Amino acid sequence: MSWNTFGRTLRFTTWGESHGPAIGAVVDGCPPGIALSESDIQPFLDARKPGQNKFTTQRQEPDAVRILSGVFESKTTGTPISLLIENTDQRSKDYSEIAKSYRPGHADYAYDAKYGFRDYRGGGRSSARETAMRVAAGAVARLVIPEVSIVAYVAEIGGDRIDPANFDREEIARNPFWCPDAQAALRWERLVDEARKAGSSLGAVVECVADGVPAGWGAPVYAKLDSDLAAGMMSINAVKGVEIGDGFEAARLTGEQNADPMRPSLNDGGNDGPRFEANHAGGIAGGISTGQPVTCRVAFKPTSSILTPVASVTRDGEATEVRTKGRHDPCVGIRGTPVVEAMMALVLADHKLLHRAQCWQG
Amino acid sequence: MSWNTFGRTLRFTTWGESHGPAIGAVVDGCPPGIALSESDIQPFLDARKPGQNKFTTQRQEPDAVRILSGVFESKTTGTPISLLIENTDQRSKDYSEIAKSYRPGHADYAYDAKYGFRDYRGGGRSSARETAMRVAAGAVARLVIPEVSIVAYVAEIGGDRIDPANFDREEIARNPFWCPDAQAALRWERLVDEARKAGSSLGAVVECVADGVPAGWGAPVYAKLDSDLAAGMMSINAVKGVEIGDGFEAARLTGEQNADPMRPSLNDGGNDGPRFEANHAGGIAGGISTGQPVTCRVAFKPTSSILTPVASVTRDGEATEVRTKGRHDPCVGIRGTPVVEAMMALVLADHKLLHRAQCWQG
Amino acid sequence: MSWNTFGRTLRFTTWGESHGPAIGAVVDGCPPGIALSESDIQPFLDARKPGQNKFTTQRQEPDAVRILSGVFESKTTGTPISLLIENTDQRSKDYSEIAKSYRPGHADYAYDAKYGFRDYRGGGRSSARETAMRVAAGAVARLVIPEVSIVAYVAEIGGDRIDPANFDREEIARNPFWCPDAQAALRWERLVDEARKAGSSLGAVVECVADGVPAGWGAPVYAKLDSDLAAGMMSINAVKGVEIGDGFEAARLTGEQNADPMRPSLNDGGNDGPRFEANHAGGIAGGISTGQPVTCRVAFKPTSSILTPVASVTRDGEATEVRTKGRHDPCVGIRGTPVVEAMMALVLADHKLLHRAQCWQG
Amino acid sequence: MSWNTFGRTLRFTTWGESHGPAIGAVVDGCPPGIALSESDIQPFLDARKPGQNKFTTQRQEPDAVRILSGVFESKTTGTPISLLIENTDQRSKDYSEIAKSYRPGHADYAYDAKYGFRDYRGGGRSSARETAMRVAAGAVARLVIPEVSIVAYVAEIGGDRIDPANFDREEIARNPFWCPDAQAALRWERLVDEARKAGSSLGAVVECVADGVPAGWGAPVYAKLDSDLAAGMMSINAVKGVEIGDGFEAARLTGEQNADPMRPSLNDGGNDGPRFEANHAGGIAGGISTGQPVTCRVAFKPTSSILTPVASVTRDGEATEVRTKGRHDPCVGIRGTPVVEAMMALVLADHKLLHRAQCWQG
């Protein structure tokens, strides 16, 4: 995990700026012989794509991915898979203001402080546009772990939570919020629309569940499965918190309340693992998967791009005010949902291969 | 960050099991010429050491660290620093039960599932004893970043929070809970003592603040400062959640509420960065430090070692019950506090060196 | 250095197959603020480009490089630099034979043994075409080390060596062999032409000298400057040997003969390093540069693509014979010369940044 | 491979100085369930140990290795294996001269230039003493690749080569030179003894052969098996050259001469690989093993520690002369032989695990 590369065995490197000619990813370490074509990746990109409804930014790009290497006769060869998406919607625009002033809450000032200058067009490298390549790489990772089924959904927007009693997995793809609770989705429609009209923004909490992860993935001590998930999720734009299992709620439970009792497997003849009666731990103990669903929660802040002016400074240190004009996402957590899914897939696929590397039985 | 190694430029590798002959760490990449002796490390180990009062486990070990390499004439040489602590309190004990049954909430089953067997004595490698070496390595890291001042404290035990109005940094070292609120410390004394007597356990939230971090540390996209902090903190035993700045609370704010306005620096002649009027972001934007205090919050679950029997299974898949006898921490978050500090120091020192590597002005 | 990535701080990842749509590299970790455009890279690619004379393969491609990211307003931004070259000369060709039979000396059988199948078009990923991206990345690396001047040249073809007495650095670029000895170049013209006409091939030895490397680059023990050079050079297609300084000749000298005496610097007031009276060591001691020129020698085998039939087997294990028809390089060492230069630049640039990371004075 | 760590999946980190209290290694990534005790390692250390005869340095140390972690009930657990050897022969000695003057050919000046100062006692970290830990780690690596048989031997001392016609593998362990040619061993006895008496030193070439490596280990492009071997071997003290297969000799052959013809396997029913009729390639094609013996050659320079005074400078830049008094190896290549074997084992074991990570059939 070096700078723009993530992963140990299944590694991917992303490159590209919001308003450069293209963005891309190189996925290295993918096993050979896996059927792969653009059509395995495109649907995930389409799901993340902006401009699909009024609740997300109106950037209009096809985001058509091309595979430039690593696939031969429709199968992965074991060599690096290069993925590329051309940036087609690079509006000619006046960037003089953003070039001169620091947008509060954005990376503008931090980039200047680090690098001495920055590509100010649309946030450059710090733009969430980078996450499109995670989604693309994640689509490849999914093919490495066909035994695993991953779903992410928005559990909370602007403090308004879903009701677990209403949870319906089928509902997630039916509304523009990746919301598993149809009633919450209706409430959010109003909530997000109001924020959009007001030029305001809302935070969100995304939950992600991976079913089918066998016991044994992960590694002590600094490549724990939860540690890698935390790193992966926290690296997503606008994310400020990560929880595994009960997360911060666990800190408010007693040991008795937080226990995950185990019962013998029902599988008569097999050597299957125990049945767990609860999953406070989120499917991970000691950094290694237990065979339960792996669960995590991710907090997205409200985007800092708002219509209300915020005090700021110019590059020259003069006082100014910044307000965001034009397109933006009123709730970036919505579009972050497919990214969370992708990171889950990437971490799990990496650990599946890691486990094979170290353990004979793996 | 490979398995038992953490960091990119300042890297440390830990080894050792709870009940083996010793535990140790190798710190590689430390700059040369830094004054270092055992006395720079020992106080931090003493602070973490168990058995100091009735609120932590009664394991009695001096935890005396030895520097075996990398220091010459009392200064670091730039070569690997080997740190070693002998395990002296390896009570002869009957481990037959723990060898046979899986302790729920512990890594026992996961290790067996991964490796085929496990060192069951005191948790082996999965024991929190490993964190002593993080504290030792962290003491070295602190010397790499003398410009930074780090403090961690317990902000919440069993759901009982400190009152920010009572915050007193001096108070932290005065009570056995690393609690900055003297009144909360009194309440916790009763709370934790009750849990201890009942053989129960409590979760905790630890907060950590690093002052003096200059703007510019961190790196897009997968070595973001917050991403590395999340990985480091989540790899600590019993941790289930990590927040940067406002964390999950930010997900409940609007963009206006969450804004960190910037004002021109008061420093007339200097080229100092802006003054920020708030720090919802926790001192990090786009993965790079902004010059504000870097803040994070870490959730510790209640230890799974409790007196109440919990349903479990044996290695052979038979039903059993497990209860913890003997010494244990009623609230592992307390002893986790110096570990959180150490991880903060290690991540920041690593990024200071990284920044020098990439940026001419660094 | 993971699979298709090289370097620790200045890292580059290459991707692409000989006959895929494109090849590319991602250079990560390049410092910001360096003037960079395609015209800084293209000349080096042109120098390596095949088809320039009858002594190299007749593949005709413009090899025009495009920079897709990491540069803004003509300067590096500190973010990943994506370089791409489209493959334009993908002749439609009948690959059925090469698909079926293993070319001896090529990676065909090894790839099949490893991956289960292979992209057989022009060698796929194992083709020397990959080295174009090293040359491109190397051009970026050169800009990171403006204080260093690197030159590589062919010192020997088919066992015929240059005469050091004839060494003329200006001559190197004047003949198609990168030969610093005009007389040797004349001999080689006949030698290589004969090999070409006979469908045979010749080996070569390439030497590389880097002037201006300051003392102090390199790192004990497994990131020694010579160790990294060895890794980089040995990873070039067709390379079978690497020497630093006197290399294998040093094994035949006595300690007295191999000594590099040091004299005080002539620089009166400065703290310049010693003057060395010899450079058997190739400018590296203990894995760290000494301030002398860094020198290495690289052995290229004769290409295995020859007209003479060689016994082989088919994928099905049947006996067959393989002979190479069509274009090929009679002496791949010639085109390897710019690649050797590029690897020298990449290793040195990486170590310059590494040195800055660890050493305050760096 | 970061600084003092080698390997990707099976990684080892060494630490320690020649005259510090101890030296050690941490082997991380070793698979679980492998029988391991000190007695599996000690014989290899004893073979490398100095002071065994008059042809090696007279340092007298038992070099007794201790396993401090990673083994339970006599089997590896999958967690880091900590190996430690105490330095017992730290003669109290006057180091004032070596502290003040740079030994030509040693790392003294380079270390000072890099780090600003150095541990001058016996070379500190740059001492060949570090290689003891490679031998120890290599002994662990051997257990990971029981299918492979590795032997290294000295093929040449001071320019005097063995006669392949006299090659007798059994002879290697019978003489103090690891020499497979009994007659050469007799000649070398005189040669090395003369050098020793004269306070001179001799270079050597060590060859290493690994039988039993299956086809498929290695990885394009920057983790090629030969690239990793080159890095590993070149990182050994005093090594100046590495060859795979025919190495530099291949550069003097034609394509026809250098061909390794393949014939169908004799194994009727199996899917065994082809029989090769020659092994110019050293068992590696395209960076991946072919199933033939993996062979390499390593050039050791004569040690720079000689009785003849050599011009040098002091730390203050004054002219001086340095001559080596006291114990030293007249031919360091001899003691390097077990180190070459160890590095071969470490690289192969790493690649065996890497191959499992990426390839389903692995």
Side-chain angles (χ1 to χ4, degrees):
Chain A
M1 301 197 201
S2 284
W3 288 253
N4 294 277
T5 299
F6 188 89
R8 294 175 170 80
T9 298
L10 185 73
R11 293 168 309 284
F12 71 101
T13 303
T14 68
W15 55 266
E17 277 80 40
S18 174
H19 286 62
I23 56 173
V26 184
V27 181
D28 199 3
C30 181
I34 298 177
L36 176 68
S37 72
E38 277 90 350
S39 64
D40 293 303
I41 303 173
Q42 197 62 49
F44 295 100
L45 285 166
D46 293 345
R48 175 201 163 279
K49 199 170 54 177
Q52 308 201 91
N53 56 58
K54 63 184 172 182
F55 306 112
T56 59
T57 183
Q58 292 307 301
R59 182 166 175 147
Q60 296 286 355
E61 304 200 58
D63 273 2
V65 69
R66 290 173 60 205
I67 299 175
L68 296 181
S69 69
V71 173
F72 182 59
E73 295 181 340
S74 306
K75 286 185 298 183
T76 59
T77 58
T79 63
I81 301 167
S82 175
L83 306 171
L84 186 138
I85 297 174
E86 290 187 49
N87 288 333
T88 54
D89 185 26
Q90 309 159 48
R91 301 189 184 182
S92 64
K93 187 177 157 185
D94 180 8
Y95 288 107
S96 57
E97 195 174 327
I98 190 174
K100 221 178 56 189
S101 300
Y102 295 130
R103 294 171 298 163
H106 284 276
D108 298 351
Y109 168 66
Y111 266 60
D112 259 17
K114 181 174 193 72
Y115 298 116
F117 78 121
R118 71 188 194 280
D119 180 347
Y120 45 72
R121 301 164 306 165
R125 181 71 181 151
S126 71
S127 164
R129 179 132 187 81
E130 185 267 347
T131 61
M133 297 321 302
R134 306 187 190 212
V135 170
V140 177
R142 283 168 197 265
L143 301 175
V144 176
I145 45 169
E147 64 271 56
V148 177
S149 161
I150 301 172
V151 67
Y153 51 88
V154 180
E156 185 178 331
I157 289 185
D160 182 10
R161 299 196 189 195
I162 58 169
D163 180 347
N166 293 341
F167 192 98
D168 176 4
R169 189 161 170 158
E170 300 302 311
E171 178 63 27
I172 295 172
R174 283 198 207 113
N175 61 70
F177 304 107
W178 310 108
C179 178
D181 170 351
Q183 295 178 26
L186 287 177
R187 298 195 305 268
W188 294 352
E189 191 161 333
R190 200 177 54 239
L191 196 65
V192 177
D193 203 32
E194 282 170 8
R196 185 182 63 80
K197 286 176 183 159
S200 181
S201 64
L202 298 167
V205 174
V206 175
E207 296 184 356
C208 187
V209 180
D211 287 296
V213 178
W217 293 1
V221 177
Y222 301 109
K224 287 178 169 175
L225 188 54
D226 35 1
S227 178
D228 280 5
L229 281 171
M233 298 304 174
M234 196 67 93
S235 73
I236 301 173
N237 303 52
V239 169
K240 302 303 285 184
V242 182
E243 297 179 317
I244 304 296
D246 283 4
F248 278 83
E249 266 313 298
R252 284 133 207 166
L253 302 178
T254 63
E256 293 76 16
Q257 293 164 328
N258 192 52
D260 292 329
M262 292 185 266
R263 301 284 183 190
S265 166
L266 294 179
N267 191 329
D268 290 350
N271 53 0
D272 272 17
R275 285 175 300 129
F276 289 85
E277 296 195 329
N279 189 12
H280 298 283
I284 302 174
I288 297 171
S289 61
T290 59
Q292 288 189 284
V294 172
T295 70
C296 73
R297 287 161 47 84
V298 181
F300 287 82
K301 70 174 183 180
T303 179
S304 306
S305 300
I306 51 176
L307 210 55
T308 305
V310 178
S312 185
V313 297
T314 66
R315 286 205 67 184
D316 301 329
E318 303 296 317
T320 187
E321 277 196 334
V322 172
R323 59 193 289 270
T324 300
K325 286 150 288 192
R327 64 191 182 190
H328 81 285
D329 275 309
C331 178
V332 291
I334 299 171
R335 280 179 54 218
T337 306
V339 185
V340 167
E341 269 193 16
M343 293 309 299
M344 175 68 88
L346 286 156
V347 169
L348 290 174
D350 190 27
H351 274 282
K352 176 180 179 176
L353 301 187
L354 268 183
H355 182 56
R356 280 182 52 83
Q358 196 186 356
C359 295
W360 302 124
Q361 69 267 36
Chain B
M1 301 196 202
S2 285
W3 289 253
N4 293 277
T5 299
F6 187 89
R8 293 175 170 79
T9 298
L10 184 72
R11 294 167 309 284
F12 71 101
T13 302
T14 67
W15 55 266
E17 277 80 40
S18 173
H19 285 63
I23 57 175
V26 184
V27 181
D28 200 3
C30 180
I34 298 177
L36 176 67
S37 72
E38 277 91 351
S39 63
D40 293 303
I41 304 173
Q42 196 61 50
F44 295 100
L45 286 166
D46 293 344
R48 175 201 163 278
K49 198 169 55 178
Q52 309 201 91
N53 56 58
K54 62 184 173 183
F55 307 112
T56 59
T57 184
Q58 293 306 303
R59 181 165 176 149
Q60 297 287 356
E61 305 200 56
D63 275 2
V65 69
R66 289 172 61 205
I67 300 175
L68 296 181
S69 69
V71 173
F72 182 59
E73 295 181 341
S74 306
K75 288 185 297 184
T76 59
T77 59
T79 62
I81 300 166
S82 175
L83 305 172
L84 185 137
I85 297 174
E86 289 187 50
N87 288 332
T88 54
D89 184 27
Q90 307 160 48
R91 301 192 184 180
S92 64
K93 189 178 156 185
D94 180 8
Y95 287 106
S96 57
E97 195 174 328
I98 190 174
K100 220 178 57 188
S101 300
Y102 295 129
R103 292 170 300 163
H106 284 276
D108 298 350
Y109 168 65
Y111 265 61
D112 259 15
K114 182 174 193 72
Y115 298 116
F117 79 122
R118 73 187 194 283
D119 179 348
Y120 44 73
R121 299 165 307 164
R125 181 71 182 151
S126 71
S127 164
R129 178 129 188 83
E130 186 268 346
T131 61
M133 297 322 302
R134 307 187 189 211
V135 171
V140 177
R142 282 168 197 263
L143 302 175
V144 176
I145 46 169
E147 65 270 57
V148 177
S149 161
I150 302 172
V151 67
Y153 52 87
V154 180
E156 186 178 330
I157 289 185
D160 182 10
R161 298 197 189 196
I162 58 169
D163 182 347
N166 294 339
F167 191 99
D168 176 3
R169 189 160 170 158
E170 300 301 312
E171 178 63 26
I172 296 172
R174 284 199 206 112
N175 61 68
F177 304 107
W178 309 108
C179 178
D181 171 350
Q183 295 178 27
L186 286 176
R187 297 196 304 272
W188 293 353
E189 192 162 331
R190 201 177 53 241
L191 196 65
V192 178
D193 202 33
E194 281 170 9
R196 184 181 63 80
K197 285 177 184 159
S200 181
S201 64
L202 298 168
V205 175
V206 174
E207 296 183 358
C208 186
V209 180
D211 287 295
V213 179
W217 292 1
V221 177
Y222 301 110
K224 286 179 171 175
L225 188 54
D226 36 1
S227 179
D228 281 3
L229 280 173
M233 298 303 173
M234 196 67 96
S235 72
I236 301 173
N237 303 51
V239 169
K240 303 303 286 184
V242 182
E243 298 179 317
I244 304 296
D246 282 6
F248 278 82
E249 266 313 297
R252 283 130 206 168
L253 302 178
T254 64
E256 294 76 16
Q257 293 165 327
N258 192 53
D260 293 329
M262 291 185 267
R263 301 286 182 187
S265 166
L266 294 178
N267 190 330
D268 291 349
N271 54 1
D272 272 16
R275 284 175 300 130
F276 288 86
E277 296 195 329
N279 190 12
H280 298 283
I284 302 174
I288 297 172
S289 61
T290 60
Q292 289 190 281
V294 172
T295 69
C296 75
R297 287 163 45 85
V298 181
F300 286 83
K301 70 174 184 182
T303 180
S304 306
S305 299
I306 51 175
L307 209 57
T308 305
V310 179
S312 185
V313 296
T314 66
R315 288 205 65 185
D316 301 329
E318 303 296 317
T320 186
E321 277 197 336
V322 171
R323 59 195 288 272
T324 299
K325 285 150 289 190
R327 63 192 185 191
H328 82 286
D329 275 310
C331 177
V332 290
I334 300 171
R335 280 180 53 218
T337 306
V339 185
V340 167
E341 269 194 16
M343 293 309 299
M344 174 67 87
L346 286 156
V347 169
L348 290 175
D350 190 27
H351 274 282
K352 176 179 180 177
L353 301 186
L354 267 183
H355 182 57
R356 280 180 53 82
Q358 195 187 357
C359 294
W360 305 124
Q361 69 267 37
Chain C
M1 301 196 202
S2 284
W3 288 252
N4 294 277
T5 298
F6 187 89
R8 292 175 171 79
T9 298
L10 184 72
R11 294 166 310 283
F12 71 101
T13 303
T14 69
W15 56 266
E17 278 81 38
S18 174
H19 286 62
I23 57 175
V26 184
V27 181
D28 198 4
C30 181
I34 298 176
L36 176 67
S37 73
E38 277 90 351
S39 63
D40 294 301
I41 304 173
Q42 197 61 49
F44 295 99
L45 285 166
D46 293 345
R48 176 201 163 278
K49 197 170 58 179
Q52 308 201 94
N53 56 57
K54 62 183 172 182
F55 306 113
T56 59
T57 184
Q58 292 307 300
R59 181 165 176 150
Q60 298 286 356
E61 305 199 57
D63 274 2
V65 69
R66 289 173 62 205
I67 299 175
L68 297 180
S69 68
V71 173
F72 181 61
E73 295 182 341
S74 306
K75 287 185 297 183
T76 58
T77 58
T79 63
I81 301 166
S82 175
L83 306 171
L84 185 138
I85 297 174
E86 289 187 49
N87 288 333
T88 54
D89 185 26
Q90 308 159 48
R91 300 189 183 181
S92 64
K93 190 178 156 185
D94 180 7
Y95 287 106
S96 58
E97 195 172 329
I98 190 174
K100 220 178 56 188
S101 300
Y102 295 129
R103 294 170 300 162
H106 283 276
D108 298 350
Y109 168 65
Y111 266 60
D112 260 16
K114 182 173 192 72
Y115 299 116
F117 79 120
R118 72 188 193 280
D119 179 347
Y120 45 72
R121 301 164 306 163
R125 181 72 182 148
S126 71
S127 165
R129 180 132 187 81
E130 185 268 346
T131 61
M133 297 321 302
R134 307 187 189 210
V135 171
V140 177
R142 283 168 197 266
L143 302 175
V144 176
I145 46 169
E147 65 270 57
V148 177
S149 161
I150 300 173
V151 67
Y153 52 87
V154 180
E156 187 179 328
I157 289 184
D160 182 9
R161 298 196 188 196
I162 58 169
D163 181 347
N166 294 341
F167 192 98
D168 176 5
R169 189 161 170 159
E170 300 302 310
E171 179 63 26
I172 295 172
R174 283 197 208 113
N175 61 68
F177 305 107
W178 309 108
C179 178
D181 171 350
Q183 294 179 25
L186 287 176
R187 297 195 305 270
W188 293 353
E189 189 160 335
R190 202 176 54 239
L191 196 65
V192 177
D193 203 33
E194 281 172 8
R196 185 183 62 81
K197 286 177 182 158
S200 181
S201 64
L202 297 168
V205 175
V206 174
E207 295 183 358
C208 187
V209 180
D211 287 296
V213 178
W217 292 1
V221 178
Y222 301 109
K224 286 179 169 176
L225 188 55
D226 35 2
S227 179
D228 280 4
L229 280 172
M233 298 303 173
M234 196 67 94
S235 73
I236 301 173
N237 304 51
V239 169
K240 302 303 286 185
V242 181
E243 296 179 318
I244 304 297
D246 283 4
F248 278 83
E249 267 312 298
R252 283 131 207 167
L253 302 178
T254 63
E256 293 77 17
Q257 294 165 328
N258 192 53
D260 292 331
M262 291 186 266
R263 301 286 181 187
S265 166
L266 294 179
N267 191 328
D268 290 351
N271 54 0
D272 272 15
R275 285 174 302 129
F276 289 85
E277 297 195 329
N279 190 11
H280 298 283
I284 302 173
I288 297 172
S289 61
T290 60
Q292 290 189 282
V294 172
T295 69
C296 74
R297 288 162 47 83
V298 181
F300 287 83
K301 71 173 184 180
T303 179
S304 305
S305 299
I306 51 175
L307 211 55
T308 306
V310 179
S312 186
V313 297
T314 66
R315 286 205 67 183
D316 301 328
E318 303 296 317
T320 186
E321 277 197 334
V322 171
R323 57 194 288 272
T324 301
K325 286 150 286 191
R327 64 193 182 188
H328 81 286
D329 275 309
C331 176
V332 291
I334 300 170
R335 280 179 55 218
T337 305
V339 185
V340 167
E341 268 193 17
M343 293 309 299
M344 175 67 88
L346 286 155
V347 170
L348 290 175
D350 190 27
H351 274 282
K352 176 179 180 177
L353 301 187
L354 266 184
H355 182 56
R356 280 180 54 82
Q358 196 186 357
C359 294
W360 304 123
Q361 69 266 37
Chain D
M1 301 195 202
S2 282
W3 290 252
N4 294 277
T5 299
F6 188 88
R8 293 174 170 79
T9 298
L10 184 73
R11 294 167 311 283
F12 71 101
T13 302
T14 68
W15 55 266
E17 279 79 40
S18 174
H19 285 61
I23 56 175
V26 183
V27 181
D28 199 4
C30 180
I34 297 177
L36 176 67
S37 72
E38 277 91 351
S39 63
D40 293 303
I41 303 173
Q42 197 62 48
F44 294 100
L45 285 167
D46 293 344
R48 175 201 162 280
K49 199 169 56 178
Q52 309 201 92
N53 57 57
K54 62 184 173 182
F55 306 113
T56 58
T57 184
Q58 293 307 301
R59 181 165 176 149
Q60 297 287 356
E61 305 200 56
D63 274 3
V65 69
R66 289 173 61 205
I67 300 175
L68 295 181
S69 69
V71 173
F72 181 60
E73 295 181 341
S74 306
K75 288 186 296 182
T76 58
T77 58
T79 62
I81 301 167
S82 175
L83 305 171
L84 185 138
I85 296 175
E86 290 187 49
N87 287 333
T88 54
D89 184 26
Q90 307 161 48
R91 302 190 184 181
S92 64
K93 190 177 156 184
D94 180 9
Y95 287 106
S96 57
E97 196 173 329
I98 191 175
K100 219 178 59 188
S101 301
Y102 295 130
R103 294 170 299 163
H106 283 276
D108 299 349
Y109 168 65
Y111 266 59
D112 259 16
K114 183 173 192 74
Y115 298 115
F117 79 121
R118 71 188 194 282
D119 179 347
Y120 44 72
R121 300 165 306 164
R125 182 69 182 151
S126 71
S127 164
R129 179 129 188 83
E130 185 269 346
T131 61
M133 297 322 303
R134 307 187 189 211
V135 171
V140 177
R142 282 168 198 264
L143 301 175
V144 175
I145 47 169
E147 64 271 56
V148 177
S149 160
I150 301 173
V151 67
Y153 52 87
V154 180
E156 188 179 328
I157 289 185
D160 182 10
R161 297 196 189 198
I162 57 169
D163 181 348
N166 293 340
F167 191 98
D168 176 4
R169 190 162 171 158
E170 300 302 312
E171 178 64 26
I172 296 171
R174 284 199 206 114
N175 61 69
F177 305 106
W178 309 108
C179 178
D181 171 351
Q183 294 179 26
L186 287 176
R187 297 195 305 271
W188 293 353
E189 192 161 332
R190 201 177 52 240
L191 196 64
V192 177
D193 203 33
E194 282 170 8
R196 185 182 61 82
K197 286 176 183 159
S200 181
S201 64
L202 298 168
V205 175
V206 174
E207 296 183 358
C208 186
V209 180
D211 287 296
V213 178
W217 293 0
V221 177
Y222 302 110
K224 286 180 170 174
L225 188 55
D226 35 1
S227 179
D228 280 4
L229 280 172
M233 298 303 173
M234 197 67 95
S235 73
I236 301 173
N237 303 51
V239 169
K240 302 303 287 184
V242 182
E243 298 180 316
I244 304 296
D246 282 5
F248 278 82
E249 266 313 298
R252 283 130 206 167
L253 302 178
T254 64
E256 294 77 16
Q257 293 165 328
N258 192 52
D260 292 329
M262 291 185 267
R263 301 285 181 188
S265 165
L266 293 179
N267 190 329
D268 289 351
N271 55 0
D272 272 16
R275 284 174 301 130
F276 288 86
E277 296 195 332
N279 190 13
H280 298 284
I284 302 174
I288 297 171
S289 61
T290 60
Q292 290 189 282
V294 172
T295 69
C296 74
R297 287 162 48 83
V298 181
F300 287 83
K301 70 173 184 181
T303 178
S304 305
S305 299
I306 51 175
L307 210 55
T308 305
V310 179
S312 185
V313 297
T314 66
R315 288 205 65 184
D316 301 329
E318 304 296 316
T320 186
E321 277 198 334
V322 172
R323 59 194 288 270
T324 300
K325 285 151 288 190
R327 63 193 184 190
H328 81 286
D329 275 309
C331 177
V332 291
I334 299 171
R335 282 180 52 218
T337 306
V339 184
V340 167
E341 269 193 16
M343 293 309 299
M344 175 67 87
L346 286 156
V347 170
L348 291 174
D350 190 27
H351 274 283
K352 176 178 179 176
L353 301 186
L354 268 183
H355 181 57
R356 280 182 53 83
Q358 195 185 359
C359 294
W360 304 124
Q361 68 267 37

